[in-house]
Amino acid sequence: MQSKRKIRVLIAKPGLDSHDRGAKVVARALRDAGMEVIYTGLRQTPEQIVETALQEDVDVIGLSILSGAHRALFPRIMELLKEKGLTEVMVFAGGIIPDEDVPEMKKLGIKEIFGPGTPTEKIIEFVLQNMPKKA
Amino acid sequence: MPELSKIEEISQGVVAGDRRSIARAITIIENDAPEAKTLISKIYSHTGKAHIIGLTGPSGSGKSTLIEKIVREYRRRGKSVGVVAVDPTSPFTGGAFLGDRIRMQELSTDEGVFIRSMATRNYPGGIAKATRDAVKILDAAGKDIVIVETVGAGQSEVEIIKVAETIVVIHAPGLGDDIQAIKAGLMEIADIFVVNKADRENAEKAITDIQAMLQLNTKEKAWKPPVLKTVALTGEGVPQLIEKLEEHRTFLKREKIGEKSLLRAETELVEAIKEKAVNSIIEELKREGKFQETLQKIMAKEIDPSSAAEKLLHSKFKKAK
Amino acid sequence: MFEKEKVEEIKLERERWEKTTLPNWIRQCPECKSEFRNHSGILIKRVYTPEDIKELDYMRDLGFPSEYPFTRGLHATMYRGRLWTMRMFAGYGTAEDTNKRFKYLLSEGETGLSTAFDYPTIMGYDSDHPMARGEVGVCGVAISSLQDVEVLFNGIPLDKVTTSMTINGPAPILLSMYIAVGDKQGVPRGKLGGTTQNDNLKEFFAQKLCIFPPKPSVKLTTDVIEYCAKHLPKWNPVSISGYHIREAGATALQELAFTLYDGIAYVESTLERGLKVDDFAHRLSFFFASHNDFFEEIAKFRAARRLWARIMKERFHAKNPRSMWMRMHVQTSGCTLTAQQPLNNIVRTTIQALAAVLGGTQSLHTNSFDEALCLPTQEAVRVALRTQQIIAYESGVTNTVDPLGGSYYVEALTKEMEEKAMEYIQKIDDLGGAVAAIEKGFFQKEIADSAYRYQREVEEKKRILVGVNEFAIEEEECPIELLRIDPKVEKEQVARLQKLKRERDNRKVKEILEKLHYAAEKEENLMPTIIEAVKAYATLGEITDVLRKVYGEYKELIVI
């Protein structure tokens, strides 16, 4: 019998900002590309995001933030993922993240940062190509 | 694909209540991986302890918000809780948007709560094919309560009876055609009715409507479904709902087997036999080449599918004899 | 507006032109698209003529400036008499930082203040709350107590400037703090002028910065409207906002219709308090976005004015013409700014600002070109303000009232926007009003669909964004300097707040907060008690927590 594997993605919004237009457009595009998308809703703490990723056993996490708090929140999220043994989960991010912060964020283990104006096609393609090979 | 030792490790983790193992076990089941059967066989003896509650109702009735309050109340009473929230898969793209847990996110960091979203993956009946087994995982993991929330929009949420022991049907005033929003089938299977948003006008009307419908149902039953009021937003009425849930649980235990759990086991066995039997017959027919042969005939309009099936089975049946 | 025979003649001429002249042109130079539509999906014709506005009645539909239905403007002389208020949204870091920015803007010729608060403040959290981590002073100024507001307006006489505050859930608290500062400066309450955004309804489907559920949120908005009607005659208690609806992805038409409907809801909730419509309606103000489609925006502003006047007159039977005035503030559209080739944003902002002025706005904020990247730097803010000044002083568009009035295209579009908005309003009425429509996810679904459609159009290049999906350049160097908030701001702010919490009269604070709890349960107007609380230095977070306990917290309804 063939396995009915689906890509499960968590779209999460850390920080207090409420700009969810981008997060929702991406969520919808990934869903339309055949993925199962879990959305956390606004204003999630790093603890909530990581615990959700664990319970939902997702393959991918997309973080969206426009408040500027990424420098405080992303390191915490990546640290918690490691703590919980979720190292194989692929993480990407989007929102307003200045270019000069990108190297630092990538060093944390965030695979890619998508700035404003990124076509959703590109994000879908990226997810498909970088899907972790899960055991 | 996880190897056998991996499955052993995961099933041990599940039984020990390890959250990561629970999550991975549910994924294996959802993906209908070949290991799924092994996994279930390993944990099956640990199931049967949890109280499995099904919650269903039309969208807009405040299901998710109410579940959040129910979980909190159980937690206050020292019970651990698992939640399986089911949302529909798009038949066109195969994708799904799972948003039920948004209202329960504050609970996500509570060690005594485990929430999992599932897509129906086009299984008819409003529940995922894997829901039943996901519930078993949470049960085996030691959750005292397992709540299944199902899609409210489908025509046959009645499938939930295959999963849950106690079924709660939620309604709210002002949802269009009032009582029509609760399908006749749901009236039959409900153990408890809840009119949520009871602080609104028309709440009383919704209650009397349900009561009137219940009276029409003349079949004599040992359990009379109560109609309760809640306001999910404030948590009003939730403790009373929990009382009724416990009462129903005691009732089921008193009735020993409970007609429902027997029915559930029976359905499950029948379905499993059907699935296996059908698969093996088809595989055999394919091996023999008869399947493709008949298919060609159907395409050429020489025979209709129903008669063809009869003919094929007849030959099988004779051979078996 | 034209004689019947004349229109008939024009019709015949048009038909002739389409049959004989046009085909040759199209053969030689085919049109780029099979149909032309604006953002709202309205089909745009090749050319507009008197035929398209033949139903228009000048006195009924346009009238004279300052007269019903105010299509041509609220003031008889418009910008010939007084320019619009140039109000730049500002706020970052601590209260001291923003106080400096305010003083700078006033010295550069700005005529009104507009305060941006940081996210913790907007969500009713003090700067030391765990949810505030990494957010203090980042997207606006951090305000936790009256102490911060005292610093914010230090050296700024509140009877000389007007202040707009972009705050919704905690609006009663921030207004109370402003009143308290006014009291300390010795400014009579009757002289305090400004605006609290205080539009909680749009939060549920557009901005999503909601604290309480819809009903108590409308109650708090109404408390402020009622209090101002009685005690702050020069204050605009609510700024009914389409801006966020638009930024969330709505079309111009949806922005128009949903905003007006929120207005209707507030009028109804205030009438329920026993006030008469003419007691408060003249203080309701509006806030719209100005997007890229120039004429669509102009038509939207003109239609908004006319429609609101008609609603106030016909639906609510207002008598005072001022009650029918739609006074509006406009902000150029933040979501049209691109991170790519950011200097292009100056041009976008100019076009959008010009549309607002030609649409007859009372007040305008122009975005800075670097806002898709970071908080605006001082240089970028100056260019944005200069943009307004160039329109005001150099372009000549201020020389006459409603320069586009009578344009076949603009009038036809204005009419169409009005009619289609009316259809939406009817639909929301049928759904049972604004709160019911929110609970049913109606607005959310409409907006999400439009946002998704827009994104698809951009990706399929049906909609060209210069520098993004066309005319892009490789390997862009970020040409501008970014404004960063030093993490030190959070530490200092938290330290100051904790010092305050130690040193104030905590017994008194406790008493007043208990009193507030009681008042909230009794559904009294909370403004007097909140003023008392802020004067005792109860913090924004403490006051909001009391209300959270009584009202519960809102969990959003997700519609994608």
Side-chain angles (χ1 to χ4, degrees), chain A residues 16 18-19 43 101 120, chain C residues 119 135 207-208 247 459 484:
Chain A
L16 287 178
S18 61
H19 300 97
R43 291 182 274 278
D101 288 354
T120 53
Chain C
Y119 281 115
E135 309 264 10
Q207 185 159 248
K208 323 275 172 63
E247 289 284 295
E459 292 189 9
R484 288 241 188 227

Side-chain angles (χ1 to χ4, degrees), chain C residues 394-410:
Chain C
E394 298 184 10
S395 76
V397 298
T398 55
N399 290 344
T400 187
V401 175
D402 188 29
L404 291 174
S407 146
Y408 309 128
Y409 178 33
V410 171

Side-chain angles (χ1 to χ4, degrees), chain A residues 27-62:
Chain A
R28 192 156 164 171
L30 294 178
R31 178 197 65 183
D32 290 350
M35 302 180 200
E36 287 181 359
V37 181
I38 295 122
Y39 178 51
T40 61
L42 298 168
R43 291 182 274 278
Q44 298 291 300
T45 63
E47 288 78 9
Q48 287 172 326
I49 292 170
V50 172
E51 195 51 49
T52 302
L54 185 146
Q55 292 172 22
E56 297 290 352
D57 197 29
V58 295
D59 308 290
V60 177
I61 302 176

Side-chain angles (χ1 to χ4, degrees), chain C residues 118-148:
Chain C
D118 70 358
Y119 281 115
T121 308
I122 287 170
M123 290 307 296
Y125 296 121
D126 285 341
S127 299
D128 59 353
H129 191 280
M131 287 298 286
R133 188 169 48 183
E135 309 264 10
V136 175
V138 173
C139 280
V141 59
I143 300 292
S144 300
S145 74
L146 175 57
Q147 183 180 267
D148 297 324

Side-chain angles (χ1 to χ4, degrees), chain C residues 226-438:
Chain C
E226 187 187 18
Y227 183 85
C228 290
K230 291 176 180 161
H231 305 284
L232 296 188
K234 286 177 72 182
W235 195 267
N236 302 314
V238 55
S239 170
I240 305 157
S241 306
Y243 183 81
H244 317 84
I245 298 174
R246 190 64 178 284
E247 289 284 295
T251 65
L253 178 63
Q254 288 166 335
E255 177 195 5
L256 171 62
F258 299 171
T259 308
L260 291 193
Y261 207 95
D262 287 346
I264 291 173
Y266 295 133
V267 172
E268 283 173 349
S269 70
T270 311
L271 290 173
E272 279 167 23
R273 298 269 173 113
L275 269 74
K276 296 214 169 57
V277 67
D278 288 319
D279 291 344
F280 64 91
H282 61 289
R283 294 307 321 173
L284 302 176
S285 65
F286 288 80
F287 172 26
F288 290 104
S290 189
H291 215 274
N292 280 337
D293 191 316
F294 190 64
F295 291 106
E296 180 179 26
E297 295 304 312
I298 295 168
K300 177 185 79 184
F301 299 127
R302 298 175 85 247
R305 244 187 334 264
R306 181 156 79 206
L307 198 46
W308 184 247
R310 287 186 171 152
I311 289 168
M312 292 312 291
K313 189 172 183 173
E314 288 158 20
R315 183 168 178 147
F316 294 112
H317 313 292
K319 300 275 181 301
N320 182 354
R322 290 276 176 125
S323 304
M324 304 169 206
W325 274 25
M326 169 184 269
R327 290 173 303 131
M328 61 171 87
H329 171 69
V330 174
Q331 177 169 344
T332 56
S333 166
C335 70
T336 63
L337 302 181
T338 64
Q340 295 82 356
Q341 306 175 42
L343 291 173
N344 296 345
N345 293 327
I346 299 175
V347 185
R348 292 191 178 95
T349 300
T350 307
I351 295 170
Q352 296 164 4
L354 187 59
V357 170
L358 292 174
T361 190
Q362 274 62 57
S363 164
L364 180 62
H365 166 99
T366 33
N367 290 324
S368 301
F369 62 84
D370 52 1
E371 286 184 74
L373 301 161
C374 64
L375 285 179
T377 56
Q378 189 144 309
E379 190 207 357
V381 172
R382 189 173 54 231
V383 174
L385 179 59
R386 294 291 180 258
T387 304
Q388 294 199 36
Q389 289 161 340
I390 290 167
I391 294 173
Y393 298 105
E394 298 184 10
S395 76
V397 298
T398 55
N399 290 344
T400 187
V401 175
D402 188 29
L404 291 174
S407 146
Y408 309 128
Y409 178 33
V410 171
E411 294 298 359
L413 205 51
T414 304
K415 184 119 187 76
E416 197 160 353
M417 293 288 268
E418 183 190 7
E419 285 165 0
K420 292 216 155 81
M422 232 12 246
E423 284 168 21
Y424 262 125
I425 288 172
Q426 186 61 51
K427 200 184 271 177
I428 301 163
D429 273 340
D430 293 343
L431 286 172
V435 170
I438 288 168

Side-chain angles (χ1 to χ4, degrees), chain C residues 160-206:
Chain C
K160 298 282 184 325
V161 296
T162 58
T163 305
S164 165
M165 293 193 270
T166 300
I167 193 81
N168 294 281
I173 305 170
L174 268 301
L175 178 57
S176 295
M177 289 177 177
Y178 195 80
I179 290 170
V181 172
D183 285 357
K184 284 203 173 174
Q185 285 190 2
V187 178
R189 292 189 183 177
K191 281 196 164 173
L192 288 179
T195 307
T196 33
Q197 191 166 80
N198 193 31
D199 171 8
N200 280 314
L201 279 171
K202 62 99 173 48
E203 294 296 328
F204 294 98
F205 56 91

Side-chain angles (χ1 to χ4, degrees), chain A residues 69 72, chain C residues 93-94 120 127-138 142 485-497:
Chain C
T94 60
S127 299
D128 59 353
H129 191 280
M131 287 298 286
R133 188 169 48 183
E135 309 264 10
V136 175
V138 173
I485 302 301
D486 194 328
K488 184 170 102 218
V489 163
E490 182 164 334
K491 280 201 197 102
E492 284 172 10
Q493 171 72 9
V494 168
R496 187 165 51 192
L497 173 62

Side-chain angles (χ1 to χ4, degrees), chain B residues 14 21-41 43-44 47 52 84 86 116 118 123 127-141 146 148 162-164 268 271-272 275-276:
Chain B
V14 167
S21 302
I22 299 173
R24 301 194 61 191
I26 297 177
T27 305
I28 291 170
I29 283 161
E30 266 204 303
N31 290 341
D32 209 357
E35 298 79 8
K37 285 189 196 82
T38 323
L39 184 62
I40 290 298
S41 70
I43 58 114
Y44 194 77
T47 62
I52 300 156
V84 179
V86 185
R116 179 64 174 243
M118 292 181 108
Y123 184 71
I127 57 160
K129 183 167 192 293
T131 306
R132 194 156 50 194
D133 289 342
V135 167
K136 288 190 187 114
I137 300 282
L138 288 167
D139 186 351
V146 179
V148 181
K162 294 180 187 166
V163 180
E268 205 174 337
E271 276 184 16
E275 191 183 327
K276 285 188 204 312

